[in-house]
Structure formats: C-alpha cells, structure tokens
Amino acid sequence: MYGVVEIAGHQYCVKAGDIIDVEKISKDINTSVEFDKVLFIGGENALVGLPTVAGAKVNAKVIRQARDRKVLVLKRRPGRYVKCRGHRQSYTGLLITEIHDGKGNVAKVDAENKRAQKFLK
C-alpha cells in the first residue's frame, strides 16, 4: 500500500519504509509525526480523497534535521560588476513508519528493511 500525502504544501508519494526529505518541520529527532492530509491511497483497493481521504493518516519518525548544499547564484552585469549570493535550505528527514487507509488496513515498515533498521532502534 502507498499513499500521496501533503506535507508543508508539497505532495509526496510514500510507502512504509521510505525515507524522504521535506521542508523543515520544528520537531526533535526521534519524535513521531502524524500527517492526516492524505490525498490518495493506492494498492489493491484505491481510495481517492475529495480533497482528502477520511480517516487516513501517515505516521513518520523524524530521523534528521539538516541543511542542503549551498547554492551559489551569480549575477553579472555589463562591465565588471559581479554579485554572488548563497542559499542553504533547511530540511527534515522522515522515515515513514505506518500508513493507515481509514478502513482498518495498516501498512507498517518491515523490521528487515535495511535502510530503516538503524533508525528503528
């Protein structure tokens, strides 16, 4: 089972065990976060929300708070004028632990998932 969830104004296609990077969420590392704006649940029985699926939710665990690589932007003007600006975006790393479809079905992360093992301790 997978789902499309809206997090901080962006839509992400997630399934249990995925690790995604989203815009910064002000939560501490190793805390659980619940998202209830689930737009679509896919799998054997697909559920489409109008605008969201009633009762559906996605549970995640915060695994890191970090900043991206620095992006440099150069502005050049005729002559010798060069202006350099830099930007580093803050982000939050999430491990998707559970997906509830609102009808009693739950997809949980496997304990054998190699990427998720070190974060589930």
Side-chain angles (χ1 to χ4, degrees):
M1 177 177 8
Y2 68 94
V4 176
V5 64
E6 183 178 336
I7 302 171
H10 298 278
Q11 296 177 7
Y12 298 93
C13 182
V14 296
K15 55 185 175 176
D18 282 354
I19 296 173
I20 60 171
D21 294 330
V22 300
E23 285 191 25
K24 184 170 172 116
I25 299 172
S26 57
K27 296 283 185 180
D28 293 330
I29 296 176
N30 292 329
T31 59
S32 295
V33 183
E34 183 177 300
F35 301 104
D36 58 351
K37 284 191 171 183
V38 179
L39 307 173
F40 179 78
I41 296 288
E44 294 177 9
N45 299 325
L47 299 171
V48 179
L50 296 171
T52 61
V53 179
K57 62 184 177 178
V58 173
N59 291 336
K61 181 179 179 182
V62 177
I63 57 173
R64 68 177 162 257
Q65 297 278 3
R67 296 179 79 188
D68 268 341
R69 296 182 300 119
K70 190 166 198 171
V71 177
L72 295 176
V73 179
L74 291 172
K75 273 190 173 178
R76 296 184 185 269
R77 299 283 185 196
R80 298 182 183 195
Y81 175 73
V82 177
K83 191 176 196 178
C84 181
R85 296 281 175 130
H87 175 73
R88 291 186 68 184
Q89 182 69 37
S90 299
Y91 71 92
T92 301
L94 297 175
L95 169 66
I96 306 300
T97 55
E98 294 179 347
I99 298 177
H100 299 267
D101 69 351
K103 295 190 176 192
N105 298 328
V106 179
K108 294 185 179 183
V109 63
D110 292 331
E112 299 160 2
N113 187 336
K114 294 188 188 246
R115 291 185 301 164
Q117 276 181 348
K118 63 182 177 180
F119 301 114
L120 291 175
K121 295 177 184 176

